Amino acid sequence: MHYLLSWPVRLLVVGLLILSIAVDGAGYIQRVLNHQPLTGQVSGMPPQLFGNQVYIHRGLDLQGGTDLLLQITDVPPGRDMSQVQRDTIDVISKRINKLGVSEPVINPVGRDRIEVQLAGVSAAKAQATIGNTARLVTTKWVADANVKGGPFPGNRPQITALTSEMLTGADASLDAQNGNQWVINVTYNSQGAAIFSQLSTEAFNATCPNGATDCPQHSITNWLNLTADDVAHWDQRAADLYRPFDQGGKLLVDARILQPITGGQSQITGNFTADSAKNLAILLNSGALPGNLQVIQSTEVGATLGADSIKRSLAAGVLGLLIVIVFMIFFYRLPGLVASVALLFYAGLTLAVFKMIPVTLTLAGLAGFILSVGMAVDANVLIFERFKEEVRSGVSVGAAVETAVGRAWPAIRDSNTATLITTGLLYLAGNGPVKGFAITLFLGVLVSMFSSIIVTHNLMALVVENHNAERSFLMGVTLPLRRGRA
Amino acid sequence: MAELSRPGAARRPLSGEEATGEPVATPSRRLDIVGRRNVFFALSLLIIVPGIYSMLTRGFLLGIDFQGGTELFLKFSQPANQAQVEAVVASENVNGTVQKGANGTYIVRTRALDPAQQKKIVDDLDSKVAPVDRNQIQANQVGPSVAREIVTSALLAVLAAAILILLYLAFRFRRVRGGWRAGFQFGGSALLALLHDVFLLTGIFSILGKVLNLRIGEIDSLFLTAALTVVGFSVHDTIVVFDRIRENLVLSDRLGASRLTFEQVVNLSILQTAARSIITSFTVVLVLAALLLFGGQTLQGFVLALLIGILSGTYSSIFNASQLLVVWRKLQPVR
């Protein structure tokens, strides 16, 4: 174990210490360097380090927000499930982008589930945005004398066989040929192309009643979620439904057909701005949701409740650390002080690791971290108890440090390996709070082994080198010589 | 290892007290923890058996994570009357129950409701009872199928962890006299001690939740987290003692004809590590006390589970694990 006291190891410890301070205090360091106030909002936060933003990533239970687990159901038979899952995630991402949530998390879970985490959004709003079902519906217009109201009296939409699965893509682009206006290019697969070809030809050739030059029959309309029921009650619902989707209606675009479109590629023109064209493209794409979504698990935490939890856990963590330090110094004296320094190093390094990976801290994660402090203390206790034994048996204080570390090592190694095995498996198999707990405890145990076997060890060696072994009070152990027996 | 070449090993055969110049202490002159093992086994069974009986006959008070359902934590910004809250919840037809918490909070538990349905209840309470502080809401909804999966995956993880720990310990202790067989005895005893702690903890919670009908005895994912921590801690504690037994067996063997019996070695090892076990557990208990003080109501069950588990883990590592090893050795001797 003597090689652990060599200068490269000590250099490593000093390097890690500097790194920890730089990462942990990155925000304050940047504020000082830029002559900004130490508290309150300032520009340039969070600070950058090696190209990554470093800050504590807080879980939803600590910052407030919603966590939804969605189950994809009613998938048409024969479709590749992983493709459906990927498509659905794309669609959800596009819809969520509209909310402007910082760092939304959208992850696949298993084969047919998706987890969505949104900070600062209520569960009801999140569900409404993601939508349970959102299907692109394409209609043509047919004459119906019963329709008295709505935008086009005497006409109602009729749902066509063109479905969202047949739309392969929609994107906004600047059309150089038509005077640099924004257009949306829509592409259908071969099946969709055939249907669209027929629909557009019919619409183009439609004759308007009473010799009018224009009528709804010339248009093909895209909707989100328009149902057969809506169409059946068109007379009553038209005013609500025939409104843009983002204004509470179901309408995406009502486009007049200028020519029969046979190749499966159509272009929608109009008075689009860059934004409105992109939005429409997103909505057309987002209509292509292959199945239905069902919320099977949801967690919502109010914003101030989360902030309250942070305060509580921080207080618990700081108090816990303080109690342990006081106890260690009281019980082990000088070695206890050494262990406390090592413990602070441990806490600082673990926090820096959490910031750099980054680990998202949840309430259960904080509990795991606080418990790993207990495990870090244990390694020190093991070493010190051995140290006392060695000194009592007559070994010199200097040699006792080495022997104590050497003999405590197998116990530290084996006991921590067992914890690493358990937490590692829990991280792989667990979900939600269990995962957050496992990752912090796992990392905490790793750092604590390093902290005890290298930092405590080196500090003890340094103390002993400059220490008069006769002052046994400081070492917290009665030397055999001083018992007056020899 | 370092101990083979360590000077002074000959002067200091075994125990920490040898500097006093006494001969190697015999168990009869010291605290005999191994010899009185049946007393300690009985003490453990005294708690575990009623617990297991309660688990088998009454089961557990399940939280919504494990049962499926919705749980709403609400805080009214004006004082609210519990009867009014109950009346509104009853009118929703959601199998709801209402519990009053501290500081004007209410906990409403219902069958699994999706967020839109949850919002309706909150809106109704807001308009019919008193304004609800929307920033203080916490709502959890778990579908019954998800609940089953959480339990299954956690149990599988623990089972896999137990097997891996058994293999790891067998590997680490295979150099002890008796080879792999002895290694598996060490690993198996550690797992038995682990079972002791898990059954003691779940048993007590079954009694708390179902016999005494206390909410604190609720089994939810936080309890699961606590139980898993106890699993880690229990093995951790036991291994420290076993490690000392391993070391003392080597030292004892060097004494040749005057070597100690296995039982004596075990007893000595327990005495040598007891201080460390107690100090470490005490430190963790201190940290838990801090958590209890600041953690708030939602963490109380969690902290209680950890406290029981840590105490049980310390007890089993001192009074059960090594004694089980001794019994196992008697049943299946190694040469």
Side-chain angles (χ1 to χ4, degrees):
Chain A
M1 289 274 155
H2 219 90
Y3 56 90
L4 292 178
L5 300 177
S6 58
W7 65 266
V9 173
R10 289 184 179 175
L11 212 60
L12 175 74
V13 171
V14 174
L16 283 174
L17 181 66
I18 295 172
L19 179 73
S20 307
I21 294 174
V23 172
D24 290 340
Y28 288 111
I29 293 171
Q30 183 171 322
R31 282 165 192 258
V32 170
L33 290 180
N34 295 341
H35 304 290
Q36 289 165 321
L38 285 180
T39 53
Q41 292 277 340
V42 293
S43 61
M45 289 288 149
Q48 303 268 334
L49 205 69
F50 311 126
N52 292 316
Q53 294 189 330
V54 287
Y55 62 100
I56 296 277
H57 292 247
R58 287 173 294 160
L60 291 177
D61 51 352
L62 294 183
Q63 64 172 325
T66 293
D67 184 326
L68 296 179
L69 188 61
L70 304 161
Q71 173 99 42
I72 307 171
T73 58
D74 304 325
V75 176
R79 293 206 53 178
D80 175 26
M81 205 53 218
S82 62
Q83 184 62 42
V84 167
Q85 193 182 38
R86 273 197 299 276
D87 291 349
T88 312
I89 288 175
D90 277 354
V91 172
I92 293 175
S93 311
K94 284 167 190 157
R95 291 183 190 168
I96 283 172
N97 280 339
K98 290 190 297 179
L99 284 174
V101 176
S102 71
E103 296 182 55
V105 176
I106 306 160
N107 283 327
V109 177
R111 287 176 65 246
D112 56 354
R113 288 179 185 172
I114 295 165
E115 184 180 28
V116 180
Q117 298 184 328
L118 302 172
V121 176
S122 76
K125 188 170 180 203
Q127 191 192 17
T129 308
I130 293 167
N132 295 327
T133 60
R135 291 164 165 277
L136 182 69
V137 177
T138 306
T139 64
K140 59 181 183 181
W141 293 88
V142 293
D144 185 342
N146 292 329
V147 176
K148 300 283 189 294
F152 310 114
N155 292 285
R156 65 170 174 83
Q158 186 182 63
I159 295 176
T160 66
L162 197 63
T163 62
S164 47
E165 289 87 41
M166 299 173 196
L167 188 144
T168 52
D171 63 289
S173 67
L174 207 53
D175 187 2
Q177 291 170 357
N178 282 318
N180 264 346
Q181 60 175 335
W182 279 94
V183 298
I184 297 117
N185 301 302
V186 182
T187 320
Y188 291 98
N189 65 12
S190 57
Q191 195 189 359
I195 300 175
F196 195 68
S197 163
Q198 192 194 346
L199 283 175
S200 57
T201 310
E202 274 175 26
F204 182 71
N205 295 328
T207 39
C208 293
N210 308 328
T213 52
D214 196 12
C215 57
Q217 275 82 354
H218 279 157
S219 297
I220 290 179
T221 313
N222 285 316
W223 313 79
L224 270 189
N225 294 337
L226 192 76
T227 61
D229 191 53
D230 286 335
V231 173
H233 298 89
W234 184 251
D235 200 24
Q236 297 102 54
R237 298 186 189 169
D240 284 337
L241 297 174
Y242 196 82
R243 263 195 301 177
F245 175 73
D246 35 13
Q247 288 170 32
K250 291 188 174 179
L251 178 68
L252 282 184
V253 62
D254 191 357
R256 188 163 171 223
I257 299 300
L258 300 176
Q259 64 196 83
I261 298 159
T262 51
Q265 299 227 347
S266 66
Q267 190 175 60
I268 304 173
T269 52
N271 289 321
F272 291 118
T273 62
D275 276 348
S276 64
K278 278 178 191 158
N279 272 338
L280 183 56
I282 289 171
L283 285 167
L284 282 169
N285 277 323
S286 69
L289 195 60
N292 285 343
L293 288 176
Q294 196 188 347
V295 180
I296 53 171
Q297 187 179 347
S298 75
T299 309
E300 176 185 357
V301 176
T304 51
L305 201 64
D308 195 43
S309 297
I310 293 190
K311 273 188 216 141
R312 284 166 179 279
S313 343
L314 265 183
V318 170
L319 184 73
L321 207 60
L322 272 180
I323 294 177
V324 169
I325 286 176
V326 169
F327 171 76
M328 291 290 278
I329 293 178
F330 174 77
F331 203 83
Y332 289 114
R333 309 205 180 135
L334 194 56
L337 185 69
V338 165
S340 303
V341 174
L343 213 56
L344 288 178
F345 173 87
Y346 156 79
L349 182 57
T350 312
L351 199 66
V353 169
F354 287 171
K355 272 182 151 185
M356 284 186 298
I357 286 186
V359 172
T360 302
L361 277 183
T362 59
L363 213 51
L366 279 172
F369 174 55
I370 293 173
L371 270 162
S372 73
V373 174
M375 304 247 176
V377 173
D378 184 51
N380 288 311
V381 171
L382 277 167
I383 293 175
F384 295 158
E385 287 297 314
R386 276 326 262 264
F387 171 76
K388 281 187 177 182
E389 276 182 39
E390 299 297 321
V391 174
R392 283 198 200 106
S393 74
V395 178
S396 80
V397 173
V401 171
E402 270 315 284
T403 334
V405 172
R407 301 192 146 213
W409 169 242
I412 296 174
R413 176 198 61 201
D414 291 351
S415 56
N416 282 319
T417 304
T419 308
L420 289 177
I421 289 175
T422 318
T423 50
L425 281 168
L426 281 177
Y427 181 75
L428 293 178
N431 45 8
V434 175
K435 231 183 170 72
F437 174 82
I439 182 85
T440 52
L441 191 54
F442 185 89
L443 291 173
V445 166
L446 272 188
V447 178
S448 83
M449 280 167 85
F450 177 84
S451 153
S452 60
I453 213 71
I454 293 185
V455 181
T456 305
H457 183 185
N458 268 293
L459 285 174
M460 278 295 279
L462 284 177
V463 166
V464 162
E465 274 169 27
N466 306 308
H467 181 71
N468 176 3
E470 286 299 302
R471 272 185 290 168
S472 57
F473 171 79
L474 282 177
M475 281 301 178
V477 54
T478 317
L479 298 177
L481 282 174
R482 310 210 68 191
R483 281 193 202 158
R485 247 188 357 92
Chain B
M1 279 307 291
E3 59 223 51
L4 292 176
S5 57
R6 197 175 60 83
R11 280 191 285 115
R12 184 186 149 274
L14 275 174
S15 119
E17 304 292 319
E18 291 339 304
T20 55
E22 292 168 15
V24 172
T26 51
S28 59
R29 294 183 52 210
R30 296 165 150 271
L31 215 46
D32 187 2
I33 298 181
V34 175
R36 291 196 208 113
R37 56 182 172 266
N38 287 337
V39 177
F40 301 122
F41 289 155
L43 203 60
S44 290
L45 289 177
L46 202 65
I47 306 176
I48 292 178
V49 169
I52 291 182
Y53 179 75
S54 166
M55 278 193 273
L56 290 177
T57 54
R58 309 259 185 134
F60 296 102
L61 181 60
L62 294 178
I64 62 141
D65 331 25
F66 289 173
Q67 193 182 23
T70 294
E71 194 171 43
L72 292 165
F73 293 85
L74 304 168
K75 188 166 184 168
F76 293 99
S77 38
Q78 288 162 21
N81 178 326
Q82 180 160 7
Q84 278 181 304
V85 178
E86 276 168 2
V88 171
V89 171
S91 69
E92 306 278 345
N93 284 326
V94 287
N95 301 336
T97 60
V98 176
Q99 188 200 346
K100 196 169 179 188
N103 305 326
T105 56
Y106 279 92
I107 304 165
V108 179
R109 295 186 177 83
T110 65
R111 63 179 162 80
L113 301 176
D114 73 23
Q117 296 166 303
Q118 292 167 20
K119 186 168 181 294
K120 184 174 176 299
I121 296 183
V122 176
D123 287 345
D124 287 350
L125 285 171
D126 192 280
S127 61
K128 291 177 190 162
V129 181
V132 176
D133 184 348
R134 305 267 172 172
N135 280 327
Q136 295 264 8
I137 287 182
Q138 185 180 340
N140 304 307
Q141 174 232 329
V142 182
S145 61
V146 182
R148 262 197 307 280
E149 286 164 31
I150 294 177
V151 179
T152 320
S153 64
L155 286 181
L156 280 179
V158 171
L159 196 68
I163 293 171
L164 279 182
I165 288 172
L166 177 65
L167 291 178
Y168 177 74
L169 289 189
F171 169 74
R172 279 295 176 195
F173 287 83
R174 74 191 186 285
R175 297 257 169 77
V176 175
R177 202 157 21 96
W180 283 93
R181 170 183 279 191
F184 274 103
Q185 289 180 347
F186 276 94
S189 303
L191 285 190
L192 282 176
L194 166 71
L195 276 183
H196 164 276
D197 300 333
V198 170
F199 275 117
L200 188 127
L201 175 62
T202 46
I204 289 183
F205 264 66
S206 166
I207 294 172
L208 281 177
K210 280 293 192 174
V211 179
L212 304 175
N213 288 318
L214 295 173
R215 266 282 161 206
I216 203 166
E218 196 171 82
I219 305 288
D220 54 13
S221 39
L222 271 180
F223 174 82
L224 191 68
T225 313
L228 299 170
T229 315
V230 170
V231 166
F233 221 88
S234 163
V235 175
H236 188 111
D237 240 17
T238 308
I239 289 176
V240 171
V241 183
F242 282 7
D243 171 72
R244 197 58 182 248
I245 296 176
R246 168 172 62 188
E247 184 184 331
N248 283 339
L249 279 175
V250 174
L251 291 176
S252 167
D253 278 354
R254 271 195 229 139
L255 295 178
S258 64
R259 75 179 188 206
L260 304 182
T261 65
F262 186 70
E263 228 176 295
Q264 288 170 322
V265 169
V266 169
N267 201 52
L268 189 62
S269 307
I270 293 174
L271 291 175
Q272 286 172 333
T273 49
R276 168 263 150 205
S277 293
I278 293 166
I279 290 168
T280 298
S281 303
F282 182 65
T283 335
V284 177
V285 168
L286 285 179
V287 175
L288 286 178
L291 258 183
L292 189 62
L293 219 59
F294 288 99
Q297 213 182 359
T298 44
L299 281 184
Q300 274 174 6
F302 177 69
V303 176
L304 179 71
L306 281 176
L307 274 176
I308 293 174
I310 302 286
L311 290 180
S312 163
T314 310
Y315 176 85
S316 71
S317 73
I318 298 177
F319 298 106
N320 280 347
S322 316
Q323 286 81 343
L324 283 168
L325 184 63
V326 169
V327 173
W328 197 328
R329 279 245 169 167
K330 281 195 192 296
L331 295 176
Q332 188 193 38
V334 297
R335 292 161 50 77

